[in-house]
Amino acid sequence: MRDLQTVLGELPELTELSDDNVDIVVRLASEEDVVPKHPEGFSFQFRENSLGTQLQIIGKDDLGLVYGILYFTERYLGIHPFWFWADQTVLHQERLTIPIEPYESSVSKVRFRGWFVNDEVCLIGWKDSYPPSREIWEHVFEALLRCRGNMVIPGTDLPKSGVHFDVAAEMGLWITHHHAEPLGAEMFLRAYPGKRASYQEAPELFEHLWSEAIEKQKDHKVLWVLSFRGQGDKPFWENDPSFDTPEKRGAMISKVIRRQYDLIGKSVKDPVYCVALYGEIAELYKGGFIDLPDDVIKVWADNGYGAMVSRRHGNLNLRVLALPERGDTGKHGIYYHVTFHDLQASNHLTMSSGSATFLKKEVEGAFAAGADDYLLLNCGNIRPHVYTLDILRTLWNEGTIEIDSHLEQFVRNYYEEGHVSLKELYRSYTKAAISYGPNPDDLAGDEYYHHPARRIMGHWLQGKGDETDERLIWATGEVSFAEQVRSFARRCEEGLAKWNNWVENCDKAIYILGENDKKKAIDQLRFHGALHRSGCEGFLWLCHSYAAYSKKQYPQAFVYASQSLWSYEEGLHVLRGSEQGKWEHFYRADWLTNIESTVRNVDTVRRFLRMQGDSPEFFLWYKEYLMPETEKHIYLENTHRNPLSDDELARRLKVYFEKSNQA
C-alpha cells in the first residue's frame, strides 16, 4: 500500500471482502490454483472481471505471499530491494500498465538464506533509544525479505527486552542463533554470575538455560543452532583446561550437541538443526573428533575476508579449507562475511575490498562442494554494504551471477544517470585496496588504518621501540619494531597513490551528476574511498613521525604527527557528511573502527612529542625556528610567552621545514 501510494500519489482502497470489482487480489493458494510446489513459491494469475482483467498474486504459504507482493512492487513499481538503504529515487507514474503474462516463481538455490545483523553499532547508535526500535528493525527485515531472504539472527547479544526477535517473527522470518549462543539461550555467566562455566561440573544449569530457550521459541520458525563454545565466543577449554586433547574436546562437544538435539526433539515438531563449524569446532570435526546427528546442517565459515578457509587467529593463519570434503554426506551450508570486525584489517565502515569476481568464485565454489542448503550472511550495518549484499542476493537465489550484467542493473536501479562512469568506479574500487599479504583476500579494509596504528602508538609511547610488537607480525612478519613501522609506511604510500587516483576519478564522475544522484554517489561510493584515503594518509604520516622521532628529530616528528591527526580528522568529517536527513547520527556509534579513538591517540602522540624539546615553556621551537632573527636576542619574555596551540605551531613549522627543504 505504501509503495502504490508512493508511485501513484494516492492511497489505493484496501478491502478484505471477496469483491469481484477490484484490480488486484492478494491471497493464499487453494487446491485448484496453479502455484509452484516448492516452499515460499508464488504466482501471478489473471482472470476477467467486471473491471476488465484482474491480477491475482497467489502465495503457496505466508512467505510465498510476501515474496509475491514484493516482486510486484519491484517489477511494476520499480521499488528495488535496497530502496531505503541506498536512497533510491522512486519515480511517480500516472498509471501502471501490467502485461497479462502469468508468472511462476522459481525455487531459490539456497533453502535457508539470510542475514546475521552483527557488529551493528551504527544501528544501535543511530537513534536515542536502546536497544534499536521497531522502526529500525522493520527497515532491516523488509530489505532482507525483498532479497528473498527467509532467516535472520536479529542482532548481537541485545537485551532480551528488545523487540528484534518479535519483529522478525511477525514479518515471517525464520530465527536462527549466534554460534556462541546455542539455541538462543542466555549466556551461562550472565545467568549464573560467579559460577564456573563447566558443563562437566554443572550440566543441569546449562540444560535449564537451553530448556528455557526451547520453551520460549518452540512455536516460532527456528533454525536451531547446536554448539558448545566457551563464554565470550572462545574455545570452552579456556574455561575448563582439563580438556587438554582433541579427543577429550571433541567428545565433550559431541555429547553436548547430542543433548541439545534431544531436548529440542522432545518439544518441537519437525525441528531444523544446524551446527556452526566455526573456529576450533571445524578443526575438530575435520580431524574426526566430533560426531554429529545425520540430519543436522553443517555450516562452514569463511575467514572473515570472503575466502572459504579457516580464519586468522592473531598471527596464526593456517588457511585450512573450510568446506565439506568429498564423501561428507548430509546437508551443508556456509556462514559468509561481507563485513567483519577483527582488530586487524577488516572492513566495517566500508564496502568489502574483495572484488565481485572473487566473491562469485568463493560462493559458487562452496555451492559446488555441496554447501548450498544454508547461507547466513554477516550483513553488519547494511547501509555501507548494499552492493555486496546485492551480489549475495543474486547468488543465493540464482546459484550463479554474471558480474557485468548484475553491476549494470544495480547501477541503473539506484542511479538515474552517469551509469558508465559509476560502473567503472564500483569495478575499480577493489583494485585500489592495499594488498598486505600473498593471498587474494589479503586486502585492507578500513580497520587496517586504525587498529594497527593504535597498536603502534601504544607500543611506542610505552617505550618498547626496541621490541618487536608481537601483535603486528600477521601483517609485517617477525622483524624489528622499526621495520614493522616501515612496512606499514611502504604499503600506505602505495595505497595512498591508488586511493588518491580513485577518489579523483570519483569526483570527476560525481561533478556531472544531477543533485539526487550526486548525493547518493557521495554516500554510496565516494564515502568509502574517502575513508580509505584519509586513513591511509593518516597512517603514513604517523609512520613518518615515528621515523623522525627515532632520529631525535622531535620538531619534525611533531609536524608529521599533526599531519596524521589532520588526515584522520578528515575521516570524521566524511562520517559526519554522510549523516544528512534520515541518516542523522547514523555513524555516531563508530565504536569498532573507532576513528575518533585514533584521532585522540594521535593527539596524545603529538603532545608527547612536543614535550621532547619544547617543554616546559612551549615556546622554544617557536623561538628556534619561527621567531625573526632580529627579535631572538632582544625580545622581552613578558610579551612573547603566549605559546602557540599545537595546530598553529604545527602549521607554521610545516611551512618552515618545507621552505628549508627547498632551500
Side-chain angles (χ1 to χ4, degrees):
M1 295 294 284
R2 179 199 64 207
D3 293 351
L4 284 166
Q5 183 178 26
T6 300
V7 172
L8 297 174
E10 181 177 331
L11 188 65
E13 182 182 349
L14 178 67
T15 176
E16 294 184 10
L17 300 176
S18 177
D19 190 344
D20 188 55
N21 298 318
V22 295
D23 293 303
I24 301 172
V25 170
V26 180
R27 63 178 176 84
L28 287 167
S30 64
E31 291 183 2
E32 297 79 28
D33 285 315
V34 177
V35 68
K37 292 183 170 52
H38 59 81
E40 305 164 356
F42 65 89
S43 68
F44 289 179
Q45 303 295 332
F46 296 87
R47 72 180 184 88
E48 297 302 313
N49 68 1
S50 59
L51 296 178
T53 304
Q54 181 185 83
L55 165 63
Q56 298 204 350
I57 302 173
I58 306 171
K60 178 177 174 58
D61 49 32
D62 287 354
L63 275 180
L65 201 63
V66 171
Y67 295 151
I69 293 168
L70 296 178
Y71 181 72
F72 172 88
T73 69
E74 181 174 12
R75 181 173 178 179
Y76 300 122
L77 304 181
I79 312 288
H80 298 295
F82 296 100
W83 70 269
F84 177 84
W85 301 94
D87 295 312
Q88 179 192 350
T89 302
V90 179
L91 301 178
H92 176 75
Q93 300 180 49
E94 291 298 324
R95 60 186 290 119
L96 295 181
T97 302
I98 299 174
I100 304 175
E101 299 171 352
Y103 174 82
E104 289 189 24
S105 65
S106 58
V107 63
S108 293
K109 171 67 176 177
V110 179
R111 173 64 184 96
F112 295 108
R113 51 202 183 273
W115 292 346
F116 179 11
V117 187
N118 185 33
D119 298 326
E120 68 278 22
V121 290
C122 296
L123 302 182
I124 289 171
W126 186 9
K127 307 295 182 182
D128 292 335
S129 60
Y130 177 79
S133 66
R134 172 177 290 270
E135 174 194 9
I136 291 173
W137 290 117
E138 285 178 349
H139 282 300
V140 171
F141 301 148
E142 179 187 329
L144 175 56
L145 289 167
R146 286 182 177 276
C147 293
R148 286 181 66 182
N150 59 12
M151 72 169 174
V152 70
I153 301 179
T156 313
D157 195 29
L158 294 172
K160 303 300 182 185
S161 60
V163 298
H164 44 290
F165 180 95
D166 293 336
V167 177
E170 287 170 17
M171 295 179 73
L173 291 162
W174 290 75
I175 307 297
T176 191
H177 312 119
H178 191 298
H179 56 257
E181 298 177 298
L183 284 63
E186 188 173 6
M187 294 292 285
F188 183 93
L189 290 180
R190 190 167 283 149
Y192 307 113
K195 289 191 176 292
R196 180 172 149 86
S198 169
Y199 182 79
Q200 184 167 250
E201 295 178 6
E204 71 285 354
L205 297 182
F206 280 91
E207 291 177 17
H208 175 71
L209 295 178
W210 299 337
S211 296
E212 277 188 339
I214 293 168
E215 182 63 27
K216 181 178 180 180
Q217 300 171 82
K218 67 181 182 180
D219 297 324
H220 294 285
K221 296 190 298 186
V222 176
L223 278 83
W224 299 93
V225 171
L226 315 177
S227 184
F228 189 53
R229 299 200 81 207
Q231 304 297 290
D233 197 11
K234 59 188 177 184
F236 77 88
W237 51 86
E238 292 188 17
N239 301 111
D240 206 340
S242 64
F243 291 86
D244 54 1
T245 67
E247 290 82 2
K248 291 179 183 177
R249 295 165 179 175
M252 175 55 76
I253 291 172
S254 301
K255 176 182 177 179
V256 169
I257 285 177
R258 177 62 69 171
R259 182 60 178 147
Q260 294 169 348
Y261 178 93
D262 291 341
L263 287 172
I264 295 166
K266 290 178 182 178
S267 301
V268 180
K269 182 180 179 182
D270 300 323
V272 183
Y273 306 96
C274 51
V275 169
L277 299 179
Y278 190 73
E280 74 284 351
I281 295 180
E283 294 164 11
L284 290 168
Y285 177 79
K286 282 216 160 191
F289 301 110
I290 292 180
D291 178 55
L292 298 174
D294 293 336
D295 58 345
V296 169
I297 302 172
K298 294 178 278 289
V299 181
W300 303 84
D302 75 317
N303 64 346
Y305 295 84
M308 292 306 301
V309 296
S310 57
R311 71 172 282 192
R312 182 171 59 231
H313 292 277
N315 296 318
L316 183 64
N317 195 12
L318 299 177
R319 294 185 68 85
V320 176
L321 184 66
L323 284 172
E325 297 175 354
R326 191 182 300 275
D328 192 344
T329 58
K331 296 180 178 181
H332 296 267
I334 61 173
Y335 169 42
Y336 201 73
H337 293 77
V338 302
T339 175
F340 191 41
H341 169 60
D342 72 341
L343 307 175
Q344 290 186 338
S346 48
N347 68 294
H348 172 68
L349 296 174
T350 58
M351 280 192 290
S352 170
S353 298
S355 69
T357 301
F358 171 74
L359 299 178
K360 169 186 168 72
K361 173 179 174 293
E362 292 298 312
V363 175
E364 289 184 8
F367 292 163
D372 60 357
D373 288 287
Y374 174 110
L375 200 169
L376 181 66
L377 192 59
N378 192 314
C379 67
N381 296 289
I382 300 150
R383 187 189 181 203
H385 311 295
V386 291
Y387 174 53
T388 323
L389 290 171
D390 204 65
I391 291 171
L392 270 295
R393 168 185 76 99
T394 302
L395 283 165
W396 74 27
N397 283 318
E398 307 299 329
T400 187
I401 187 171
E402 207 293 310
I403 298 299
D404 289 339
S405 61
H406 171 268
L407 179 56
E408 171 80 25
Q409 190 59 58
F410 177 84
V411 169
R412 289 187 177 276
N413 285 349
Y414 297 106
Y415 298 93
E416 297 171 48
E417 54 187 349
H419 300 145
V420 173
S421 57
L422 292 172
K423 281 191 301 180
E424 182 53 34
L425 288 168
Y426 276 103
R427 257 193 297 263
S428 59
Y429 169 80
T430 58
K431 296 176 183 176
I434 291 174
S435 176
Y436 61 83
N439 305 298
D441 51 297
D442 291 338
L443 298 173
D446 48 279
E447 295 200 341
Y448 179 86
Y449 316 112
H450 296 274
H451 291 283
R454 295 200 292 266
R455 291 195 188 283
I456 284 173
M457 288 185 273
H459 200 77
W460 172 6
L461 267 59
Q462 290 166 24
K464 298 178 180 178
D466 57 346
E467 305 171 18
T468 297
D469 190 332
E470 299 288 333
R471 303 166 300 178
L472 298 176
I473 290 174
W474 64 268
T476 65
E478 199 162 354
V479 295
S480 69
F481 180 63
E483 182 54 37
Q484 287 182 309
V485 176
R486 284 192 289 270
S487 175
F488 280 109
R490 287 192 296 270
R491 291 200 175 102
C492 286
E493 190 167 19
E494 295 170 4
L496 183 58
K498 291 192 290 183
W499 284 117
N500 275 331
N501 182 63
W502 190 89
V503 172
E504 182 180 335
N505 290 337
C506 195
D507 288 340
K508 289 177 183 176
I510 289 173
Y511 180 75
I512 61 175
L513 296 176
E515 286 306 309
N516 283 338
D517 281 343
K518 186 172 291 186
K519 180 62 176 136
K520 280 185 285 189
I522 289 171
D523 288 345
Q524 298 292 330
L525 269 170
R526 192 186 190 280
F527 171 90
H528 304 274
L531 282 185
H532 277 282
R533 182 177 68 174
S534 60
C536 197
E537 187 174 59
F539 202 174
L540 179 60
W541 284 120
L542 177 68
C543 294
H544 288 333
S545 180
Y546 181 77
Y549 168 82
S550 300
K551 299 173 186 176
K552 300 190 184 316
Q553 297 173 344
Y554 301 128
Q556 291 89 337
F558 171 80
V559 171
Y560 293 147
S562 297
Q563 290 178 270
S564 174
L565 178 74
W566 300 332
S567 296
Y568 279 124
E569 284 181 332
E570 177 58 29
L572 290 178
H573 296 323
V574 171
L575 294 187
R576 301 291 85 84
S578 188
E579 293 182 316
Q580 308 300 315
K582 70 186 184 189
W583 301 115
E584 185 179 5
H585 303 312
F586 187 75
Y587 293 106
R588 69 173 163 182
D590 169 32
W591 302 323
L592 300 185
T593 297
N594 210 332
I595 299 174
E596 188 173 349
S597 176
T598 308
V599 168
R600 290 196 302 267
N601 276 247
V602 178
D603 193 35
T604 298
V605 168
R606 184 170 70 161
R607 292 166 186 262
F608 167 79
L609 289 168
R610 191 168 180 182
M611 294 180 71
Q612 303 309 303
D614 204 30
S615 173
E617 293 85 1
F618 297 99
F619 176 71
L620 302 177
W621 286 348
Y622 173 80
K623 177 183 176 183
E624 181 175 356
Y625 299 105
L626 303 177
M627 181 179 280
E629 284 294 326
T630 56
E631 296 293 319
K632 281 186 179 180
H633 306 291
I634 61 173
Y635 74 93
L636 297 177
E637 289 192 2
N638 64 322
T639 60
H640 285 78
R641 283 304 184 90
N642 183 16
L644 297 177
S645 69
D646 289 341
D647 276 341
E648 181 63 21
L649 178 62
R651 289 191 178 95
R652 293 173 67 170
L653 284 176
K654 177 176 178 289
V655 172
Y656 171 83
F657 289 131
E658 285 172 348
K659 288 181 178 178
S660 298
N661 289 336
Q662 289 174 2

